[in-house]
Amino acid sequence: MTDPESTDSATATRREAAMRELAEARDTYQKREDLTRGRRGLLIVNTGKGKGKTTAALGLMLRAHGRGLRVRMFQFLKHEGARFGEHRALDALGLPHEGLGDGFTWRSRDLENSAALAEHGWERAKEAILSGEYDLIVLDEFTYPLKFGWVAWPDVEATLKARDPNLHIVVTGRDALPELVALADTVSEIQPVKHAYNAGIGAQAGIEH
């Protein structure tokens, strides 16, 4: 059993150290003068083996919607009829989304069909990117068609460079191509520390799906 006095002492030590660090950071902070002002479309990549890549992209969609931006999501693995929690929420908010795949690749019984669906899905996403009708587009799990060679990187690169300069693009998925990382403005690599699944806890409705 933890000794309350030792716990209080440890908390007090952490607090004292943190207050010193915070005060120093506050006193030495200088606002950057070279930052651009106004809107500029960003290419954002959420990659890595950890949980939360799609979740973070959905959070950006919600934030953008709250600011009046026109948003849309294309999901390259989930199938058209998927009804996970995010789909129900997006429908309730009236935000457009499309499932372009046939489910998780490790369950696919016809990988050639999976590849064809990804290629067709990219053509749909490409049309939306170049349409000028949106302010933020999420290409969820798009790193996989790129990694597998189902979609050609040169075409993706050309499309991203040809988009409206104010259009934000978010790409999610593991193993982002080095070329995509190099082109991106913001890249977050999410790495796992612990996951409930490893302890034998199954996926939870409203958390994983």
Side-chain angles (χ1 to χ4, degrees):
M1 186 173 179
T2 304
D3 181 2
E5 290 188 6
S6 65
T7 301
D8 289 343
S9 176
T11 301
T13 300
R14 279 196 297 271
R15 176 188 173 90
E16 184 179 348
M19 295 300 275
R20 287 197 302 268
E21 292 176 8
L22 291 169
E24 182 179 355
R26 177 200 62 202
D27 295 341
T28 58
Y29 172 77
Q30 289 185 338
K31 186 175 181 179
R32 288 186 58 177
E33 300 295 335
D34 60 339
L35 295 177
T36 60
R37 297 184 181 277
R39 179 119 166 267
R40 175 196 181 282
L42 300 176
L43 174 57
I44 300 170
V45 176
N46 298 337
T47 192
K49 296 181 179 180
K51 173 181 167 53
K53 298 179 288 292
T54 296
T55 305
L58 287 163
L60 281 181
M61 286 185 71
L62 182 63
R63 176 179 289 162
H65 176 63
R67 286 289 191 174
L69 273 62
R70 301 163 297 173
V71 303
R72 185 169 182 175
M73 172 180 269
F74 295 93
Q75 295 188 297
F76 280 82
L77 292 189
K78 295 181 176 68
H79 57 81
E80 185 178 3
R83 290 289 294 163
F84 297 138
E86 63 263 35
H87 305 126
R88 298 165 192 254
L90 292 172
D91 287 342
L93 292 169
L95 305 183
H97 60 90
E98 292 184 44
L100 304 170
D102 56 357
F104 297 112
T105 52
W106 57 87
R107 294 181 181 174
S108 176
R109 297 182 179 180
D110 187 348
L111 289 172
E112 289 298 328
N113 181 62
S114 299
L117 287 172
E119 189 174 3
H120 174 70
W122 165 241
E123 291 303 318
R124 289 191 57 77
K126 179 179 177 180
E127 181 181 1
I129 290 170
L130 298 177
S131 71
E133 297 177 4
Y134 300 97
D135 301 305
L136 182 146
I137 292 177
V138 174
L139 306 178
D140 185 43
E141 298 161 337
F142 188 50
T143 61
Y144 303 108
L146 287 172
K147 175 186 176 182
F148 301 150
W150 293 350
V151 175
W153 166 250
D155 185 35
V156 174
E157 181 181 25
T159 300
L160 293 175
K161 289 182 176 180
R163 77 189 193 276
D164 185 293
N166 289 325
L167 173 60
H168 302 297
I169 300 286
V170 183
V171 178
T172 77
R174 298 186 180 194
D175 303 320
L177 291 183
E179 298 92 329
L180 174 62
V181 171
L183 184 63
D185 298 290
T186 299
V187 180
S188 295
E189 186 172 19
I190 302 174
Q191 294 297 340
V193 177
K194 293 178 69 174
H195 197 294
Y197 180 82
N198 297 327
I201 302 172
Q204 302 295 300
I207 302 299
E208 273 83 20
H209 58 85

